[in-house]
Amino acid sequence: MWTDSNREPVLRKVAEQFKKDTGVTVKLAVKDFAKIPDDFITQVPTGKGPDAAITAHDATGRMVHNGVVAPLELGDTSAYQDVAIQAFTVEGKIYGVPYATENIALVRNTKLVKEAPKTFDEMIEMGKKSGAKHPFLVGLDPKQSDPYHLYPFQASFDAPVFELKDNGFNSSKVAMGGANGEKFAAWMAAQGKAKNLNLNISQDISKDLFSKGEAAFILTGPWSLDAFKKAGISYEISEIPSAGGQPATPFVGVQGFWMSAKTKNPIATQKFLVEYLGNENVQTELFKVGNRAPANKKAFETAKSDKDVAAFGAVGEKSVPMPNIPAMGSVWADWGVAEAQIISGKASNPKATWDKAVQSINDKIKKG
């Protein structure tokens, strides 16, 4: 089984217990987490790949498309957060045992603003009244913007990238176009003009400014909290305020474990993944080495004693998984460039720029 160095100590103990219980040895190989999907897709067909691997869910559709992962029988799926099950579901089948979730949320400097806002406009007004130099910050790239971080606002205009159905995402047509997408484009243009969205403020700069107490609100993930704590910032985490009237749901990233389609011992592999790595105690131990909200509901209840995990997890429970279908690879470039052109004001007609990007994405998906 492939794992990363961070989770290896926990998995090694579980493997030792598995051998005592079943007599089956699980050998662990430490890999670079980011390289696991590409290596898995090239090595499994040769017979040199692992029986299982730790992973992030969003590459699952690509693995299914290439026939290198096998579906799993999780038994009682209600033991896991719904969004975690959705994340590993492709065409109605579940291809992974989820173990942790991760998402962005709104972080508020409580010395500057006492209450959480309900809408984007209310947030900006509260931020201005606080006297902060920056009412609101979200890190963006000058050329590619950041569709991941801006997605909650887009979702609040009911303009999702793809439709999410019971059997997974529908990749046949991009859903972010049409009248709702155009409203989001117009909103981005207005926020860019007002400097509420600023392409000159990157992720690092936004984190640094918030750490200095110069911003009332920031949109970010749990990976920024250490910097805020180190700087002595008093903060609270809350839902992302709606800009378009619908809930502002961020993408959720889910981590878990795949089983190879070429494993020579599928019964033992499934047993190890589902019964051992999926259980409450192991997911609690994995939480301790990563601070990501457990996918197992009982383990999540334990982890909620950490108020930051509880707050990010509460936002994640109501969110949607990052699309796990191969078509997602055709989306990011046009999406980000269009956002940057609109926010910067370089797009003279934001609606036309958005429609052109959506058409380009659709064309790329049709070409495969």
Side-chain angles (χ1 to χ4, degrees):
M1 178 176 181
W2 287 351
T3 181
D4 65 337
S5 58
N6 190 33
R7 273 65 68 94
E8 191 271 342
V10 174
L11 298 186
R12 178 159 34 85
K13 291 180 181 178
V14 182
E16 290 170 354
Q17 185 62 50
F18 189 68
K19 185 176 182 179
K20 289 180 182 177
D21 295 345
T22 66
V24 177
T25 299
V26 179
K27 295 181 179 177
L28 298 174
V30 174
K31 299 270 292 184
D32 182 336
F33 186 81
K35 294 181 178 179
I36 285 177
D38 286 341
D39 289 352
F40 198 85
I41 210 167
T42 56
Q43 294 196 30
V44 165
T46 69
K48 296 180 180 179
D51 292 307
I54 194 168
T55 185
H57 83 276
D58 55 329
T60 304
R62 187 160 61 98
M63 299 300 124
V64 173
H65 181 73
N66 283 277
V68 296
V69 291
L72 291 161
E73 296 294 335
L74 296 192
D76 182 13
T77 56
S78 68
Y80 300 92
Q81 294 185 45
D82 291 344
V83 69
I85 294 296
Q86 290 172 344
F88 278 103
T89 299
V90 178
E91 297 176 352
K93 296 180 180 178
I94 301 170
Y95 286 90
V97 177
Y99 96 82
T101 65
E102 189 173 67
N103 54 272
I104 58 175
L106 186 70
V107 181
R108 176 176 90 256
N109 184 325
T110 54
K111 286 188 177 178
L112 298 174
V113 182
K114 302 300 181 185
E115 303 294 331
K118 295 179 180 178
T119 68
F120 184 90
D121 290 342
E122 184 181 28
M123 175 182 70
I124 296 299
E125 190 63 26
M126 292 166 78
K128 288 179 177 177
K129 287 183 178 177
S130 76
K133 185 176 180 180
H134 302 278
F136 165 71
L137 292 173
V138 55
L140 300 174
D141 179 87
K143 295 182 179 178
Q144 295 286 333
S145 180
D146 192 323
Y148 173 83
H149 277 80
L150 294 185
Y151 184 72
F153 302 127
Q154 181 178 323
S156 77
F157 283 88
D158 197 18
V161 186
F162 297 103
E163 290 181 342
L164 177 60
K165 298 183 176 180
D166 291 341
N167 64 344
F169 286 96
N170 177 10
S171 63
S172 62
K173 186 178 180 182
V174 176
M176 57 195 271
N180 291 341
E182 292 174 351
K183 289 178 182 175
F184 173 62
W187 176 84
M188 279 193 296
Q191 301 311 320
K193 188 175 182 180
K195 297 298 182 185
N196 293 327
L197 300 178
N198 190 334
L199 296 173
N200 294 319
I201 296 181
S202 67
Q203 293 288 337
D204 287 342
I205 292 173
S206 65
K207 186 166 71 174
D208 182 60
L209 291 172
F210 191 84
S211 296
K212 290 177 179 175
E214 295 184 10
F217 301 95
I218 185 171
L219 191 60
T220 190
W223 47 84
S224 294
L225 295 185
D226 284 346
F228 303 159
K229 291 175 182 175
K230 187 176 181 180
I233 296 294
S234 298
Y235 64 85
E236 286 195 2
I237 299 156
S238 61
E239 292 184 5
I240 300 167
S242 174
Q246 300 297 315
T249 49
F251 283 136
V252 176
V254 183
Q255 297 192 353
F257 305 93
W258 288 326
M259 180 169 75
S260 167
K262 301 294 184 183
T263 177
K264 295 177 181 177
N265 197 342
I267 295 176
T269 303
Q270 159 125 346
K271 185 178 183 66
F272 181 67
L273 298 184
V274 176
E275 297 181 24
Y276 284 71
L277 300 187
N279 77 43
E280 175 187 355
N281 293 335
V282 172
Q283 298 224 347
T284 298
E285 291 303 309
L286 287 167
F287 160 71
K288 292 177 182 176
V289 298
N291 285 323
R292 294 178 177 86
N296 180 290
K297 288 179 180 176
K298 290 183 178 177
F300 179 55
E301 288 303 312
T302 301
K304 284 168 68 175
S305 60
D306 181 317
K307 71 177 184 64
D308 292 339
V309 171
F312 272 109
V315 175
E317 281 183 304
K318 300 177 183 177
S319 301
V320 296
M322 174 83 77
N324 57 14
I325 51 181
M328 198 63 186
S330 302
V331 170
W332 295 107
D334 290 295
W335 193 8
V337 168
E339 285 189 349
Q341 289 177 340
I342 292 169
I343 293 169
S344 66
K346 292 179 181 177
S348 58
N349 187 331
K351 293 180 181 179
T353 298
W354 189 256
D355 289 342
K356 183 179 178 181
V358 173
Q359 184 60 52
S360 177
I361 293 168
N362 271 318
D363 291 345
K364 288 179 179 177
I365 291 174
K366 288 178 181 176
K367 290 179 181 177

